[in-house]
């Protein structure tokens, strides 16, 4: 069951809820986000629900059948909005996240950020730690890359999102980022997910390359159960038999997720198609399907990029992308997030 606490609930109120659950033989975990505090109770005796309802701070006690309880729409029918600084990602707008796949230098990062912002991006992406298929490929600049990313974010007034690969790097990444990204390769790195959840920072959780929707939602549940409900899901293409694209964009995942979960869901047309010429049509498909945003790669000189240059958009491409997003968003009664 999920115990929904009043917005004015205090830490002692939460302790009272946990005490009742544990006294009834159950286990309790607390999570917060979006101005809400929730306590999940598992294996508690039947009378616990009645006892919990006597507490003044308890707004509701909800029985949830779904395996992904906290991120399910069973207990929260209204879809969530996740805030990253002043940027809102949710059902009312379409959010553009853009930047280079990897931070290469201060000049490259700033130039890409200016292109992204001019195209309407409100979140800046850039990788400092790059898990690559080949051990010989560029692995990122590490902490020095984080410092560049943070500096450019401050200069352009864009909150930054970057990937976290190792729990041991959490402190340094959290010190420089506004949102933590979990890449496809780490979607089921459960210890990393739990550690990220405990930070309380907004999380961008990419779908694993061979993960089902249920597995993806359960990965989000790990973050939520560790204390953090500020999660944005990202469909980035899955591995299929098809080899004409880098991955196969599962566009159906957008409406499916929105039926099952209250979490925002965005799409990565860059990593799904893997080709610059596919980013724009895949973006159009994503927005038409109801995605809450897209995350795209940008580079000033894609041919010289140290990572994924073949899918990076140029300044001209970004202008066309903005026009397409704005037009399709208006058709759906939304606006490009500002």
């Amino acid at each position: 069951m999920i115990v929904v606490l009043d917005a004015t609930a205090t830490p002692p109120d939460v302790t009272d809820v946990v005490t009742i659950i544990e006294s009834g033989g159950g286990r309790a975990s607390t999570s917060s986000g979006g101005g809400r505090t929730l306590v999940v109770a598992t294996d508690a005796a039947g009378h616990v629900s009645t006892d919990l309802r006597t507490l003044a701070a308890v707004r509701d006690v909800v029985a949830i059948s779904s395996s992904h309880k906290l991120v399910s729409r069973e207990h929260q029918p209204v879809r969530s909005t996740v805030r990253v600084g002043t940027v809102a990602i949710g059902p009312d707008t379409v959010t553009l996240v853009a930047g280079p796949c990897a931070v290469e230098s201060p000049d490259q990062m700033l130039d890409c950020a200016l292109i992204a912002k001019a195209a309407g991006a409100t979140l800046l992406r850039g990788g400092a730690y790059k898990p690559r298929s080949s051990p010989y490929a560029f692995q990122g600049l590490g902490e020095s890359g984080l410092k560049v990313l943070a500096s450019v974010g401050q200069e352009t007034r864009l909150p930054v999102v970057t990937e976290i690969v190792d729990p041991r790097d959490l402190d340094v990444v959290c010190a420089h980022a506004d949102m933590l990204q979990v890449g496809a390769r780490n979607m089921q790195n459960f210890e990393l997910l739990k550690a990220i959840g405990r930070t309380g920072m907004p999380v961008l959780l990419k779908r694993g390359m061979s993960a089902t929707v249920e597995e993806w939602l359960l990965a989000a549940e790990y973050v939520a159960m560790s204390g953090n409900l500020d999660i944005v899901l990202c469909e980035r293409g899955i591995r299929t038999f098809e080899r004409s694209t880098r991955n196969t964009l599962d566009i159906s995942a957008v409406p499916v997720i929105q039926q099952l979960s209250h979490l925002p869901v965005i799409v990565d047309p860059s990593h799904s198609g893997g080709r610059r010429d596919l980013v724009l049509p895949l973006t159009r498909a994503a927005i038409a399907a109801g995605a809450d945003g897209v995350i795209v790669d940008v580079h000033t000189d894609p041919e010289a990029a140290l990572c994924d240059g073949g899918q990076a958009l140029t300044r001209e491409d970004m202008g066309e992308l903005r026009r397409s997003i704005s037009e399709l968003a208006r058709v759906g009664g939304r606006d490009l997030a500002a």
Side-chain angles (χ1 to χ4, degrees):
M1 74 183 81
I2 291 182
V3 185
V4 184
L5 276 70
D6 190 81
T8 60
T10 63
D13 292 328
V14 176
T15 300
D16 290 342
V17 170
V18 171
T19 298
I20 289 178
I21 293 170
E22 292 179 345
S23 65
R27 292 176 292 119
S29 58
T30 304
S31 190
S32 61
R36 296 167 294 130
T37 299
L38 307 174
V39 180
V40 179
T42 54
D43 303 324
H47 67 84
V48 167
S49 176
T50 302
D51 295 344
L52 288 169
R53 293 179 188 276
T54 65
L55 298 178
V58 172
R59 185 192 307 169
D60 199 4
V61 180
V62 186
I64 304 293
S65 59
S66 170
S67 58
H68 44 274
K69 303 180 186 304
L70 285 167
V71 304
S72 168
R73 291 193 76 166
E74 282 189 68
H75 86 89
Q76 185 177 322
V78 178
R79 296 188 57 230
S80 294
T81 295
V82 172
R83 297 190 176 277
V84 185
T86 60
V87 177
I89 306 174
D92 297 329
T93 56
V94 177
T95 302
L96 175 58
V97 187
C101 190
V103 180
E104 299 171 8
S105 70
D107 289 343
Q108 170 256 7
M109 191 67 231
L110 179 58
D111 289 344
C112 291
L114 292 173
I115 293 172
K117 186 170 184 176
T122 50
L123 276 172
L124 178 64
R125 61 87 53 86
Y129 298 93
K130 300 298 300 178
R132 306 294 298 278
S133 297
S134 170
Y136 305 110
F138 177 61
Q139 306 288 315
L141 298 179
E143 186 174 355
S144 62
L146 287 175
K147 292 177 179 178
V148 169
L149 178 63
S151 176
V152 170
Q154 291 172 0
E155 183 172 347
T156 57
R157 297 185 179 180
L158 291 172
V160 300
V161 53
T162 193
E163 184 168 356
I164 173 71
V165 177
D166 191 325
R168 293 171 295 185
D169 296 323
L170 262 177
D171 287 344
V172 67
V173 175
C174 288
H176 295 89
D178 300 290
M179 187 180 205
L180 303 177
Q181 175 182 309
V182 179
R185 292 174 175 84
N186 274 311
M187 190 207 78
Q188 289 186 308
N189 184 340
F190 301 124
E191 293 307 312
L192 177 62
L193 296 178
K194 288 187 282 188
I196 286 172
R198 290 190 291 267
T199 68
M201 291 187 67
V203 177
L204 178 64
L205 178 62
K206 288 197 168 186
R207 183 182 184 180
M209 61 185 69
S210 300
T212 65
V213 166
E214 177 70 7
E215 289 167 340
W216 187 15
L217 289 173
L218 286 173
E221 192 76 7
Y222 268 95
V223 178
M225 278 201 68
S226 299
N228 184 7
L229 281 166
D230 289 327
I231 307 165
V232 176
L233 301 174
C234 180
E235 162 60 38
R236 46 79 70 198
I238 54 177
R239 177 169 291 175
T240 68
F241 58 84
E242 183 53 62
R243 301 183 66 183
S244 61
T245 57
R246 180 175 182 175
N247 295 289
T248 299
L249 178 61
D250 182 10
I251 201 68
S252 65
V254 173
V256 168
I257 286 289
Q258 291 174 344
Q259 291 171 11
L260 296 174
S261 173
H262 59 84
L263 300 179
V265 56
I266 69 172
V267 167
D268 182 346
S270 298
H271 284 84
S272 51
R275 288 167 31 193
R276 185 175 306 113
D277 63 310
L278 294 178
V279 173
L280 187 55
L282 293 181
T283 295
R284 290 172 177 146
I287 303 306
D292 300 307
V294 292
I295 178 171
V296 299
D297 288 2
V298 181
H299 205 283
T300 52
D301 185 4
E303 302 306 318
L306 298 180
C307 181
D308 292 341
Q311 65 195 34
L313 299 182
T314 64
R315 185 187 305 274
E316 293 72 20
D317 297 325
M318 288 296 290
E320 181 60 28
L321 184 81
R322 175 173 187 160
R323 286 189 290 273
S324 291
I325 293 177
S326 298
E327 291 169 0
L328 280 167
R330 284 196 296 271
V331 170
R334 299 184 289 171
D335 292 311
L336 179 62

